[in-house]
Amino acid sequence: MKKTEGKQSKGVKKNVLKLLIKIVVLITAAVGGAAVYRISVNVRLNKLIDNSKTINITNNTGSIEGIVYELINQLKEKDKELSKKNDEIIKLKEENAGLKVSNSSSEAAVGQDTSSTADNSDNDTKASTDAEVMDLFGDGEARTVYSLDNDEGSFKIAGEDYYSGVTIGNAESGCVYVNLKKKYKHISFDVGRVDECPINDGKLLLIKDEGNPKKYDLDAEKSLMSFELDVTGTDRLKIQIDSDWTTYGIVNVKVE
């Protein structure tokens, strides 16, 4: 007789605990736990069923409630951890997107006539200017003309090598003349301080055929500043840089 009661007691325990599984799974879904947590709960409770001899349902009903509350608290903690991780992932994505935007922005300055942003996407194109264009640059003061077909080598602006262009500086003021011969309507170029030269701001003056100069400020801490000028009917354009004993480079020259 005692044996039979033991079997019935064990059967009751298992039935109650199986019912408990269904309740906890529903609670898990309500709390927002993922499927993996529901599986974990089932595995844990199935182990409890196998060891249900250790649980006295009749005399210690509070122990089952304790298990339920413990599991619910664990699920809530897991949910908090998931939310925290999700917030961290979102924050990292936003920071990564911000870095990409920051790295892709240009530091080009604006001239008074008009301005354009320097294209840094192709280093090969950036480092070279057509030799025919560079042949337009002639005499001047404190200037060096670089071209792919001469032996001057290269110079650096913001870490980039330039094999074509003009450097003006290592003096209080310098200039170069561009012999346009009234053949062109438009000229554009970029200006930047040459690497490892003193960080001194300067002035850019553009003078068409000895006319009134157009003046622009040069920021020594900007990598490149872009300038455009209408040169319709211009015979010679004087590009003057008051460099204050540093050196500035003129690169990416285009004429139309």
Side-chain angles (χ1 to χ4, degrees), residues 7-223:
K7 288 181 179 179
Q8 288 177 346
S9 177
K10 185 175 180 181
V12 170
K13 294 176 193 174
K14 288 192 175 183
N15 288 335
V16 171
L17 286 173
K18 284 180 179 178
L19 179 61
L20 180 60
I21 291 173
K22 296 180 180 179
I23 294 171
V24 173
V25 169
L26 290 174
I27 292 170
T28 304
V31 170
V36 67
Y37 297 126
R38 294 200 292 273
I39 293 170
S40 177
V41 169
N42 276 302
V43 169
R44 182 167 179 175
L45 288 176
N46 280 325
K47 287 181 180 179
L48 288 173
I49 290 171
D50 293 337
N51 299 318
S52 59
K53 291 179 181 180
T54 62
I55 300 173
N56 190 331
I57 296 173
T58 305
N59 297 326
N60 297 297
T61 54
S63 63
I64 295 177
E65 293 175 357
I67 293 170
V68 173
Y69 288 131
E70 180 189 350
L71 291 171
I72 290 173
N73 288 332
Q74 288 182 16
L75 291 170
K76 286 182 178 179
E77 288 298 320
K78 290 293 183 184
D79 186 62
K80 288 179 182 178
E81 290 177 12
L82 276 177
S83 297
K84 186 177 178 180
K85 291 292 183 185
N86 188 53
D87 291 340
E88 290 175 358
I89 290 169
I90 292 172
K91 186 178 179 180
L92 286 172
K93 286 182 177 179
E94 290 175 349
E95 290 176 354
N96 187 47
L99 284 173
K100 287 181 178 178
V101 171
S102 178
N103 289 335
S104 64
S105 63
S106 173
E107 294 181 338
V110 178
Q112 287 182 352
D113 272 345
T114 179
S115 65
S116 63
T117 301
D119 182 4
N120 298 336
S121 60
D122 187 339
N123 287 339
D124 292 335
T125 302
K126 183 179 177 183
S128 65
T129 298
D130 189 275
E132 187 175 333
V133 174
M134 295 314 304
D135 286 344
L136 299 176
F137 287 82
D139 55 334
E141 298 175 2
R143 96 284 181 258
T144 302
V145 178
Y146 293 76
S147 181
L148 294 175
D149 58 357
N150 67 23
D151 298 325
E152 293 294 344
S154 65
F155 58 95
K156 286 182 181 287
I157 296 177
E160 295 289 344
D161 286 305
Y162 291 91
Y163 295 88
S164 294
V166 179
T167 58
I168 297 175
N170 197 25
E172 186 175 354
S173 180
C175 68
V176 66
Y177 286 93
V178 188
N179 300 306
L180 300 171
K181 299 180 180 179
K182 301 181 181 181
K183 293 180 179 180
Y184 304 97
K185 295 181 178 179
H186 180 265
I187 187 171
S188 64
F189 53 88
D190 299 328
V191 179
R193 181 181 59 85
V194 175
D195 288 2
E196 299 182 4
C197 290
I199 306 174
N200 298 331
D201 294 339
K203 297 283 185 183
L204 171 69
L205 290 79
L206 301 179
I207 306 167
K208 296 187 288 186
D209 292 330
E210 307 301 328
N212 294 325
K214 291 183 178 293
K215 299 179 181 180
Y216 311 95
D217 292 327
L218 297 177
D219 187 340
E221 295 187 358
K222 285 184 178 286
S223 58

